[in-house]
Amino acid sequence: MFPQVGTEVSPTGVAPAGSGSDDTVLAARARQGGLDAFEELSRRHYRALYRVALRMLDDTRDAEDATQEAFERAWLALPAFEGRAAFRTWIYRILTNVCLKNRQRRRHVLLSLDEARDAPDTPQDEPEAIVERADRDRALRRAIAALPPEQRSPLVLREYAGCSYQEIAQILGITMPAVRGRLHRARVELMEAMRPWV
């Protein structure tokens, strides 16, 4: 019903400028039962949401399932969507709740790293450098996964989804000072955990 990972979207997961109706208009049409409008919203946001889910769950299948579940929940809850928050904020909140629920089922979850860190090794890389980078990456994944959910969620939304502090506050239902405080604590803990690699 909703797009899969291979669906044609821009690299950011958002429809290109000039692509027609904005999210507000599409959400209003979808609330009236317009499946085509909701499918367009899904196409616009699927890849970006999938990337957040992947960072939170570190498993492609779990991330796909969580993203699909978020869109399914959004479709069912759409009649109650009043547009007080942007559709993007609303769907991120749903996804975050799904991921947190899924993570509670899986206690030992590691987060994927930024794609730049996952780039394949080049022939000129020394074997020692490759091993050291892999060890550092594993340490960072473990450090992020070890963060409490209230710190990990805003960190992933900020660093991997590019959400503003205000969006994070809306997604998580917390205040802006709480967002700043949780992000600060998360970053301090990560710096401490990564001290041996600096």
Side-chain angles (χ1 to χ4, degrees), residues 92-161:
Y92 269 118
R93 184 174 195 161
I94 292 171
L95 177 74
T96 300
N97 289 335
V98 169
C99 288
L100 290 175
K101 178 192 74 171
N102 289 349
R103 192 182 186 287
Q104 287 173 351
R105 289 187 203 140
R106 296 176 61 221
R107 294 185 182 256
H108 304 290
V109 173
L110 296 177
L111 296 172
S112 298
L113 296 171
D114 203 340
E115 272 120 53
R117 291 188 169 273
D118 292 338
D121 299 318
T122 57
Q124 64 268 25
D125 285 341
E126 294 293 325
E128 295 84 8
I130 294 169
V131 170
E132 183 178 340
R133 185 170 59 239
D135 288 344
R136 185 182 62 239
D137 291 349
R138 276 192 295 277
L140 181 59
R141 285 196 303 269
R142 283 193 298 270
I144 294 171
L147 291 172
E150 65 270 10
Q151 292 176 19
R152 185 177 53 258
S153 296
L155 181 76
V156 169
L157 288 168
R158 178 69 178 165
E159 300 300 330
Y160 295 110

Side-chain angles (χ1 to χ4, degrees), residues 25-178:
V25 173
L26 287 170
R29 282 180 37 212
R31 281 187 67 198
Q32 303 290 324
L35 184 56
D36 60 332
F38 191 75
E39 286 176 342
E40 175 61 23
L41 286 168
S42 300
R43 277 189 288 277
R44 288 183 178 198
H45 296 283
Y46 187 91
R47 190 174 299 271
L49 267 71
Y50 169 77
R51 288 180 59 178
V52 169
L54 185 60
R55 298 305 184 265
M56 294 184 96
L57 301 173
D58 192 37
D59 181 272
T60 56
R61 183 171 296 179
D62 288 347
E64 288 171 9
D65 290 345
T67 306
Q68 288 294 309
E69 183 178 342
F71 278 110
E72 289 162 8
R73 287 185 179 202
W75 174 252
L76 294 173
L78 201 55
F81 176 63
E82 298 174 356
R84 285 180 290 188
F87 178 82
R88 177 180 188 261
T89 302
W90 184 67
I91 192 76
Y92 269 118
R93 184 174 195 161
I94 292 171
L95 177 74
T96 300
N97 289 335
V98 169
C99 288
L100 290 175
K101 178 192 74 171
N102 289 349
R103 192 182 186 287
Q104 287 173 351
R105 289 187 203 140
R106 296 176 61 221
R107 294 185 182 256
H108 304 290
V109 173
L110 296 177
L111 296 172
S112 298
L113 296 171
D114 203 340
E115 272 120 53
R117 291 188 169 273
D118 292 338
D121 299 318
T122 57
Q124 64 268 25
D125 285 341
E126 294 293 325
E128 295 84 8
I130 294 169
V131 170
E132 183 178 340
R133 185 170 59 239
D135 288 344
R136 185 182 62 239
D137 291 349
R138 276 192 295 277
L140 181 59
R141 285 196 303 269
R142 283 193 298 270
I144 294 171
L147 291 172
E150 65 270 10
Q151 292 176 19
R152 185 177 53 258
S153 296
L155 181 76
V156 169
L157 288 168
R158 178 69 178 165
E159 300 300 330
Y160 295 110
C163 292
S164 69
Y165 283 33
Q166 184 174 3
E167 286 175 315
I168 295 169
Q170 291 177 333
I171 290 165
L172 298 178
I174 59 177
T175 65
M176 292 274 284

